[in-house]
Amino acid sequence: MRVRVDYPRRGRRGPTRFLPSWRQLLGLVFLALAGVVGLGGWVYATTPIPDVNAEARSEATVYYWADGTQMVSVGAVNRQNVPLSDIPLPLQNAVIATENATFYSDPGFSVRGLARAVVNMARGGEVQGGSTITQQYVKNTYLSQEQTASRKVRELCLAVKLSRSLSKKEILQGYLNTSWFGRNAYGVQAASVAYYGTDARNLDPSRSAMLAALLKGGDLYDPSLGPEHRRRAEARWRYVLDRQVELGFMTREERAAYTVFPSPRPRSVAGGLSGQTGYLVDAANKDLRNRTGLTAEDLGRGGYRIRTTFDKTAVERLRQAVEGAAGVGADRDLQFGAASVRPDDGALLALYGGPDATRHFTSNADTAGVPVGSAFTPFVLAAALQDAAGGEEDNGDDGTGGWDGGMPYDVVGVGTGGAPGPYGATASGGAASRSALALRRALVRGDQDVFRLLGAGVGLSRVRDVAVDAGLLPGSMATLEPSFPLGTSTPSAIRMAGAYATFAADGRRAEPYSVTAVTYRGARLEGLERPAGRQVLDREVAREVSRGLRDVAVDAVDPGTLNALGPIAAGRTGGDDRSPAAWFVGYGEDLSTAVTAFRTRPGGQGLLPLGGAGGPGSERDDELPLRVWSSYMTASRSTGGS
């Protein structure tokens, strides 16, 4: 018998013939539901449970020097499987309370969480949200970490199948042994050792709550990574404990016993990352995260081959310069940080992060807590000259070796103690040249009054913008107060070397980078093309700043070093700087290098005065970075550079 569907509908005329009836609509809905159910059943039936270790392979990540030789192999994955009986009940409860409260009763997935994932997908967002412990175990053990619809469907099917074939205790044990806790630790046993130096079986409810908090993101909740991380960790720790009370895993009386945050032990790294290697790996990982979106968890899983820009010989020369020129070790609180960048393209060739990455984990080359002092004043000068240039790309040179563009302020008057008075944007010729010359002399003298007044005249926000355009990070800029032009900001040595390299490259900024290529299990990662440079300063502005910095170099560097290095330009902190740190930053044809020295308080909180740090024969504390810089740059030149 043939069934005829009344569509288009008889007895109706015009467009209404094509409007389906409610019965037809209801039939379509049931048909669609049947299709979805059928498809889901087919996917479920045809999705096998793979071998547990098929895709959870432990593999080291290898880092290479710029010349292709191996720097270090990190891994394999730091994981030690333990039975559930060795995992204390308070830790199990803490994880269940915060990750999946219905774990023991759900079928392996959460209907509410699944609905959220569908809504996210429909909105074009990430395909995630609401994963149960079973789903997370499936993702950790059988699947990749990608957030796609197909992976999410497989995850759901495998979670249901595992719930039918494994006990809840087996699933919980597998999850706790495969989850990432930060510090390159996979599983609760490795995490317990990494954070508290003890086996998981010895954890009390307070420390258990801290480890459970890390499941939210090990690189976000590790208290040792900074004040903001600690605030997040403490808030999450309190939530984990309170949530257990809410669900009946802990009484209020038991909860009241835990009021002091269980601070983990200081972060440490593997022995293979000793010396400068750990700092180099940290810099490369940071560059990768910024440019590709890889997370610390992704990198911790291993399997990557990472080619860096680091020159092995240059790194060793910089280490020897610090340890040899400054007599490191005589003052345990004295710290050095240094970085060397290639102005042509921004490649980070070398850095000095501290005495040993396994004992002093935070890299002094990439720290953002050391005031830069008067080494910042070239950016004030650049801001004044850039405004005078009127935004033109190149004002040319009048052949006298000095600035011939307009000058916005009477810096001649400022330099002699007079009040600043505007020349106007049309000032040029002899007056402008005298103004530029006065600023260059002020740069050599480190005349704070000149640059305080000049910064106020140009505008503090304008000075900040020019410094950021040159390469300093916005987050390292200090509050815009009258002292701002004198260097209250706290950029890193890497960023200072890169920003001075902008002057060396005639105003063309090349973003510092440290990774050139990455493969993951044979496949090349995208997004690692060399960062494109861009013109951020007028060429003649950059050249005029370089002229001033060459005057500084002549005043600061001994004649023998000057002869060995050829034409160089440099900035430094002055002897009368109130900054608790000393800096020397300079560049030649192919290297821009920044060196800082500072003294830390015991425990690392805050900075101490540098007085006497230069040693008995030193007249100025700011000679320390100069010694390191001169030794390193001279060695680089004598061996043909990097």
Side-chain angles (χ1 to χ4, degrees):
M1 183 178 68
R2 190 172 66 179
V3 177
R4 185 179 185 279
V5 178
D6 184 22
Y7 190 87
R9 297 168 66 186
R10 291 175 294 175
R12 292 178 178 264
R13 297 182 179 279
T16 58
R17 298 177 58 225
F18 299 94
L19 292 176
S21 66
W22 68 268
R23 292 185 181 85
Q24 290 171 335
L25 286 173
L26 189 61
L28 288 172
V29 170
F30 280 121
L31 186 62
L33 288 175
V36 170
V37 172
L39 179 61
W42 178 81
V43 171
Y44 179 86
T46 57
T47 300
I49 299 178
D51 182 84
V52 169
N53 295 314
E55 296 201 31
R57 299 189 299 271
S58 298
E59 191 174 349
T61 288
V62 183
Y63 296 80
Y64 298 90
W65 296 103
D67 63 4
T69 58
Q70 183 172 316
M71 178 196 304
V72 66
S73 176
V74 180
V77 170
N78 180 20
R79 177 187 292 124
Q80 301 172 48
N81 291 329
V82 293
L84 194 63
S85 58
D86 281 351
I87 301 174
L89 187 60
L91 178 53
Q92 297 179 40
N93 290 340
V95 171
I96 291 172
T98 53
E99 294 296 307
N100 184 188
T102 61
F103 169 69
Y104 280 111
S105 60
D106 66 42
F109 68 94
S110 163
V111 175
R112 183 180 299 176
L114 181 61
R116 277 201 301 269
V118 172
V119 171
N120 285 342
M121 183 171 57
R123 291 175 175 174
E126 290 186 336
V127 188
Q128 61 180 8
S131 291
T132 63
I133 284 177
T134 306
Q135 288 175 273
Q136 293 181 60
Y137 172 54
V138 166
K139 182 176 66 174
N140 292 343
T141 310
Y142 303 104
L143 304 176
S144 68
Q145 300 298 305
E146 63 182 352
Q147 299 288 349
T148 63
S150 61
R151 204 276 295 155
K152 198 71 177 178
V153 171
R154 289 190 65 206
E155 174 188 296
L156 181 61
C157 292
L158 287 174
V160 175
K161 284 194 170 186
L162 281 179
S163 291
R164 296 169 62 90
S165 60
L166 297 177
S167 70
K168 289 290 186 179
K169 288 188 175 182
E170 288 175 311
I171 292 172
L172 182 61
Q173 174 180 295
Y175 171 70
L176 292 174
N177 277 317
T178 57
S179 293
W180 184 74
F181 290 81
R183 297 195 181 185
N184 200 35
Y186 288 83
V188 293
Q189 174 64 17
S192 182
V193 172
Y195 286 88
Y196 293 109
T198 186
D199 291 334
R201 67 165 68 95
N202 299 323
L203 294 174
D204 61 13
S206 182
R207 292 185 293 179
S208 294
M210 170 57 203
L211 290 190
L214 292 166
L215 290 169
K216 188 77 170 175
D219 55 345
L220 293 175
Y221 292 83
D222 185 344
S224 69
L225 293 179
E228 187 61 33
H229 290 75
R230 185 178 181 89
R231 283 192 289 271
R232 280 195 294 263
E234 290 189 14
R236 184 71 180 172
W237 167 76
R238 287 190 292 269
Y239 168 78
V240 173
L241 291 172
D242 293 339
R243 179 67 171 160
Q244 291 179 77
V245 174
E246 182 182 337
L247 295 176
F249 289 129
M250 182 184 291
T251 66
R252 295 189 180 278
E253 290 74 19
E254 291 172 329
R255 167 65 180 90
Y258 305 110
T259 58
V260 179
F261 180 68
S263 298
R265 66 180 186 173
R267 184 175 176 132
S268 62
V269 294
L273 300 178
S274 61
Q276 297 306 302
T277 305
Y279 303 125
L280 300 175
V281 167
D282 185 59
N285 288 348
K286 185 175 181 179
D287 189 33
L288 271 177
R289 292 195 296 269
N290 290 339
R291 293 165 63 196
T292 67
L294 284 174
T295 66
E297 181 176 1
D298 294 331
L299 292 167
R301 291 185 182 277
Y304 293 89
R305 301 293 181 265
I306 301 172
R307 183 78 168 263
T308 73
T309 60
F310 300 121
D311 184 290
K312 184 176 183 179
T313 304
V315 171
E316 178 61 16
R317 282 198 300 263
L318 190 53
R319 183 193 67 79
Q320 291 178 357
V322 172
E323 297 181 0
V328 174
D331 187 338
R332 295 195 326 181
D333 298 327
L334 185 62
Q335 298 287 334
F336 287 85
S340 195
V341 168
R342 189 165 58 209
D344 179 55
D345 63 352
L348 181 59
L349 302 181
L351 60 80
Y352 180 87
D356 190 323
T358 62
R359 292 185 287 109
H360 177 82
F361 186 80
T362 302
S363 174
N364 292 341
D366 201 23
T367 187
V370 182
V372 71
S374 56
F376 185 81
T377 53
F379 303 109
V380 184
L381 173 58
L385 297 175
Q386 186 71 15
D387 280 2
E392 299 173 14
E393 183 164 307
D394 196 346
N395 283 322
D397 193 322
D398 64 359
T400 62
W403 174 256
D404 66 348
M407 287 299 297
Y409 301 98
D410 184 356
V411 294
V412 176
V414 171
T416 57
Y423 265 117
T426 60
S428 61
S433 296
R434 289 195 302 274
S435 296
L437 181 60
L439 280 179
R440 284 157 61 177
R441 289 173 177 168
L443 199 61
V444 174
R445 294 194 307 268
D447 195 323
Q448 296 190 351
D449 289 336
V450 168
F451 286 99
R452 183 186 291 109
L453 290 171
L454 186 64
V458 174
L460 301 183
S461 61
R462 177 60 179 153
V463 173
R464 177 196 59 202
D465 293 345
V466 167
V468 170
D469 285 344
L472 302 187
L473 294 178
S476 69
M477 293 292 98
T479 305
L480 299 183
E481 297 176 342
S483 59
F484 176 77
L486 307 183
T488 54
S489 297
T490 57
S492 68
I494 293 174
R495 285 289 166 175
M496 282 296 286
Y500 270 56
T502 299
F503 300 137
D506 285 345
R508 185 172 180 80
R509 170 182 170 180
E511 190 74 10
Y513 71 102
S514 56
V515 175
T516 59
V518 175
T519 60
Y520 179 67
R521 292 177 179 168
R524 190 178 183 90
L525 263 65
E526 301 296 328
L528 287 169
E529 298 77 14
R530 179 182 296 183
R534 60 189 180 91
Q535 196 75 29
V536 296
L537 293 174
D538 178 275
R539 290 183 178 87
E540 186 57 28
V541 166
R543 291 169 186 166
E544 180 63 23
V545 174
S546 289
R547 293 184 190 104
L549 292 175
R550 288 192 185 101
D551 292 343
V552 174
V554 170
D555 180 68
V557 182
D558 66 90
T561 301
L562 281 175
N563 292 334
L565 295 180
I568 61 170
R572 67 183 300 177
T573 48
D576 58 348
D577 256 340
R578 296 188 182 93
S579 173
W583 287 78
F584 196 91
V585 191
Y587 52 86
E589 294 178 357
D590 50 14
L591 282 179
S592 176
T593 302
V595 182
T596 183
F598 53 95
R599 182 181 276 145
T600 57
R601 296 179 183 275
Q605 299 297 319
L607 301 179
L608 293 171
L610 268 177
S618 175
E619 297 180 1
R620 295 162 58 108
D621 297 327
D622 59 339
E623 289 181 3
L624 283 168
L626 172 57
R627 293 181 198 169
V628 176
W629 185 91
S630 296
S631 176
Y632 168 72
M633 294 291 280
T634 302
S636 299
R637 176 65 65 185
S638 64
T639 55
S642 299

